């Protein structure tokens, strides 16, 4: 349980930082309102996990300072490549998170019904983010497949590290 909450807190922390990085570059673009909307939801997810780890006395990952920088850098770098690359980043991240939340939801029994319904709700939000990003031309980003594969690999690695460290 500690690992589960630690990694989810870390992931939502990273997600909020990715959008902060994207908005630093794209704050005047057409994509800004939609990025802000997604960022607000990530902040709500993060706040929820921050409460949960405090309530259950779970130590946050020691990697938070790194995710602070890496999340922002990933967001800013993809945004610098253009709006569609920023959206491609969102699709890749959300697909990795979708699989991760699906695994967690399947692993929780009725003793954790409340947490499970929270994860179901957040997963729905993440899938909505993916769909929004697809509607904004994610797949038309230059080098989409490579970019997507690299980001997904990075996310999976970050997930494994944040569970343990
Ligand atoms: Fe989220
Ligand atoms: Fe998201």
């Amino acid at each position: 349980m500690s690992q589960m909450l630690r990694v989810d807190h870390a992931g939502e922390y990273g997600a909020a930082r990715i959008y902060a990085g994207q908005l630093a570059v794209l704050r005047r673009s057409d994509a800004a309102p939609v990025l802000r909307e997604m960022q607000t939801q990530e902040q709500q997810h993060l706040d929820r996990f921050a409460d949960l780890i405090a309530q259950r006395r779970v130590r946050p990952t020691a990697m938070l300072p790194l995710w602070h920088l890496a999340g922002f850098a990933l967001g800013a770098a993809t945004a610098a490549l253009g709006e569609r690359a920023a959206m491609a980043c969102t699709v890749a991240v959300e697909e990795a998170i979708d699989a991760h939340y699906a695994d967690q939801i399947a692993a929780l029994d009725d003793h954790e019904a409340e947490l499970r319904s929270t994860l179901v709700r957040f997963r729905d939000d993440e899938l909505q983010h993916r769909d929004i990003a697809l509607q904004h031309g994610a797949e038309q980003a230059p080098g989409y497949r490579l970019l997507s594969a690299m980001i997904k690999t990075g996310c999976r690695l970050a997930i494994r590290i944040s569970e343990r460290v």
Side-chain angles (χ1 to χ4, degrees), residues 25-44:
V25 176
L26 293 172
R27 64 183 172 277
R28 278 182 242 284
S29 76
D30 293 345
V34 81
L35 292 175
R36 274 192 205 103
E37 219 171 280
M38 294 193 281
Q39 185 188 33
T40 301
Q41 277 185 324
E42 302 302 358
Q43 188 60 48
Q44 288 165 357

Side-chain angles (χ1 to χ4, degrees), residues 12 15 41-42 45 94 101 122 126 129:
E12 298 296 351
Q41 277 185 324
E42 302 302 358
H45 297 170
E94 301 298 11
Y101 277 152
F122 288 2
E126 311 302 7
H129 297 169

